[in-house]
Amino acid sequence: MRRELGSVLAIAFVAFVATACGQKNNAAGTGADTTAAAAQPAPATTSPAATTTPAAGGAALAAAVIPPNLPQGVTAQMINDGNQLFHGPGNCYTCHGADAKGTSLAPDLTATTHIWVTDYPSYVKLVTAGVPQPKQHPAPMPPKGGSTITDDQVKAVAAYEWSLSHPQGGK
């Protein structure tokens, strides 16, 4: 009886998380949160494709800000590609929010300090492996966010996420 109750509760929790992420996904596609994008400073360097490619839901995707002093192996193109993946097939925005400022399910990726990551290689490891037991949020992050992105795409998403929390650059 207890085992069955535990299974039912686990299934209910997974359904809740999936529903919550799906609702965030729908809100992101409607342009509901445009104030954060409008308040952003003009990007230092952008790719023309980054300003015209639609995000999930069809809205135009804001260009990624390319900070100075990128880590070894990271390029501006990787950051722009990561931006596209974050808001598209990587599905990162569904839990972290379209503005990457976090939700009740997942942390703010624009913060300058994080629990799990410190440098670009740690971002790559985290996106690759996921976070099975988060310390501050209820939803575990599956490997690659539950998407089917490739290892090179993981590196691009990690580069984009690194750039969000390092707007002044650094290693």
Side-chain angles (χ1 to χ4, degrees):
M1 177 89 169
R2 283 187 176 204
R3 182 180 294 174
E4 289 173 0
L5 179 59
S7 296
V8 169
L9 290 174
I11 290 168
F13 178 74
V14 170
F16 167 76
V17 170
T19 301
C21 285
Q23 288 173 352
K24 185 67 177 179
N25 183 10
N26 290 340
T30 62
D33 186 9
T34 57
T35 56
Q40 294 288 331
T45 307
T46 62
S47 157
T51 58
T52 58
T53 303
L61 181 61
V65 175
I66 310 299
N69 303 317
L70 299 177
Q72 183 176 356
V74 173
T75 66
Q77 186 62 50
M78 286 173 71
I79 293 171
N80 284 322
D81 291 347
N83 183 17
Q84 299 291 323
L85 291 161
F86 182 95
H87 294 94
N91 295 321
C92 312
Y93 68 96
T94 59
C95 290
H96 290 284
D99 60 2
K101 292 192 181 286
T103 68
S104 61
L105 297 174
D108 178 353
L109 300 178
T110 66
T112 56
T113 58
H114 298 283
I115 294 173
W116 301 104
V117 293
T118 55
D119 57 5
Y120 171 69
S122 64
Y123 279 84
V124 173
K125 285 181 184 178
L126 183 134
V127 174
T128 301
V131 182
Q133 296 179 323
K135 293 182 180 180
Q136 294 181 342
H137 292 85
M141 180 181 142
K144 297 181 180 181
S147 72
T148 58
I149 60 175
T150 67
D151 290 344
D152 284 340
Q153 289 173 321
V154 164
K155 291 175 184 174
V157 168
Y160 174 66
E161 291 178 359
W162 176 90
S163 76
L164 293 172
S165 61
H166 294 80
Q168 303 303 315
K171 304 291 179 187

